[in-house]
Amino acid sequence: MSTANIKTDLIGRKASAYAPASTGNVSVGFDLLGAALIRVDQKPLGDTVHVEFAEQDQLINSGEFAHVCPPDKNQNLAWIAYSLFKNKLTNPEQFPAVKMELVKSLPVGSGLGSSACSVVASLTALNRLFDFPYTDQELLVLMGEVEAGASGDLHYDNVAPSYFGGLQLMSPHQDTPVINLPNPDSWYWVVAFPGFSLPTKEAREVLPKQVDKSVAIDNAQYLAAFVAYLYQGEQTLAAKTIKDVIAEPYRADLIAGFKTSKQYLLAQDALAVGISGAGPTLFALTTDLTKAQQYKEYLEQNYILADKGFVHICQCATLGAKDIQVG
Ligand code: HSE
């Protein structure tokens, strides 16, 4: 069969993917740790992408935050991901054009891995559509590459949990790039997005290029103890070990109301309170659902500053885009 016939036969084939929101850093593992999130009410908190082989390339933005997606498709992360995906194929000429719909449900610059969601959902849907030309690891590298273009630095702490689910620690070994840590399933994560954006690039620029030896030691101690407690099944102790000595001291002042809310929530027995990713979303941890609801009410009244703000009670999602089937 000719390439033209193969292409025609593929037209109309469809695939979709949903990528969950994630919280990068989890305060204790700057650029190294990230958790996928699922709302306890099971409503979606993430982006969906639908792709289809078609006669002509096309990108449609839909969803609550479609208006913040660049109208020029070459500036849009979903399309940038597609271009990279196709360029790296060994046989791109054998495939028809692609029609893509990005259902943008997460606010950008929120600290909830919004750009990672668009990238992960796009590449997962495309890998399904093209019949899995890339392994998980190859796909993760592509995801990192596109995300780095958006945030200014290569870090996998959003794309990895969004793709694999769970609580992912980045490994120094290239052949096993992520370590799936025990899921702290007793924790409720109250995540509060105040309604204004803080671009990751901006939030990275305020960080010092170097840290003192004492800070490096503290950081190693908190992260190592956190991981050890998780493996010991000591989830409450692990949560109490969450401390950010790298980014929060510099970022807290960029986020109106963060310090006051943190102080209040810790006084109400929150196990940990931190900045989700680069912010401005705040997260608070508790193992008590009643307390989680109280934190939610407090944050709705005191942390939300704009219409598009929200507070959700989440848990660490077991599944990521790789294993979530859409429709
Ligand atoms: N680790 C990144 C940062 C996460 O804190 O800059 C960005 O979502």
Side-chain angles (χ1 to χ4, degrees), residues 25 30-31 155 157-158 200 204 251 277-278:
N25 304 332
F30 180 74
D31 274 2
H155 52 89
D157 54 335
N158 288 118
T200 300
R204 292 181 85 81
R251 288 176 171 172

Side-chain angles (χ1 to χ4, degrees), residues 54-308:
E55 302 279 358
Q56 280 189 331
D57 281 342
Q58 188 187 2
L59 174 68
I60 299 162
N61 296 308
S62 64
E64 190 181 349
F65 291 94
H67 62 285
V68 296
C69 297
D72 173 3
K73 67 178 176 345
N74 297 313
Q75 308 279 319
N76 190 304
L77 282 180
W79 202 260
I80 294 170
Y82 166 55
S83 304
L84 194 68
F85 179 97
K86 197 158 183 190
N87 284 344
K88 296 209 177 195
L89 288 175
T90 50
N91 54 350
E93 70 292 342
Q94 292 186 6
F95 295 96
V98 165
K99 178 179 161 190
M100 191 171 205
E101 179 182 359
L102 168 63
V103 187
K104 188 71 207 153
S105 306
L106 272 186
V108 295
S110 57
L112 287 168
S114 176
S115 56
C117 275
S118 299
V119 174
V120 171
S122 301
L123 289 172
T124 306
L126 288 162
N127 213 33
R128 288 175 181 162
L129 184 72
F130 284 71
D131 210 11
F132 301 97
Y134 299 112
T135 63
D136 285 342
Q137 195 180 326
E138 289 165 341
L139 212 54
L140 189 67
V141 171
L142 285 184
M143 289 166 180
E145 207 175 311
V146 185
E147 166 82 331
S151 68
D153 259 327
L154 180 61
H155 52 89
Y156 290 96
D157 54 335
N158 288 118
V159 291
S162 192
Y163 184 60
F164 291 112
L167 178 61
Q168 300 288 342
L169 178 68
M170 307 316 122
S171 151
H173 304 296
Q174 283 196 340
D175 49 347
T176 51
V178 287
I179 302 162
N180 188 15
L181 296 181
N183 186 323
D185 53 9
S186 64
W187 298 355
Y188 294 103
W189 309 61
V190 186
V191 293
F193 168 59
F196 62 87
S197 290
L198 177 55
T200 300
K201 267 187 191 165
E202 214 173 284
R204 292 181 85 81
E205 274 162 17
V206 300
L207 305 182
K209 297 278 174 268
Q210 295 183 325
V211 296
D212 283 349
K213 185 169 70 182
S214 64
V215 173
I217 293 169
D218 284 350
N219 189 52
Q221 184 178 44
Y222 287 120
L223 181 57
F226 172 82
V227 171
Y229 285 137
L230 279 183
Y231 277 100
Q232 288 177 354
E234 298 280 1
Q235 295 188 3
T236 299
L237 263 180
K240 286 183 174 172
T241 309
I242 288 176
K243 184 160 172 165
D244 181 352
V245 293
I246 301 283
E248 192 181 301
Y250 303 94
R251 288 176 171 172
D253 285 333
L254 302 179
I255 305 169
F258 175 78
K259 284 181 173 169
T260 319
S261 294
K262 175 169 178 167
Q263 201 177 14
Y264 174 84
L265 293 165
L266 289 175
Q268 304 304 310
D269 299 329
L271 297 173
V273 179
I275 299 170
S276 178
T281 292
L282 168 155
F283 75 91
L285 297 181
T286 174
T287 54
D288 180 336
L289 187 54
T290 307
K291 279 195 176 138
Q293 268 145 359
Q294 288 163 1
Y295 300 167
K296 180 175 187 293
E297 279 163 33
Y298 168 81
L299 289 163
E300 279 168 347
Q301 283 160 23
N302 295 281
Y303 196 67
I304 304 301
L305 296 175
D307 281 354
K308 293 281 184 190

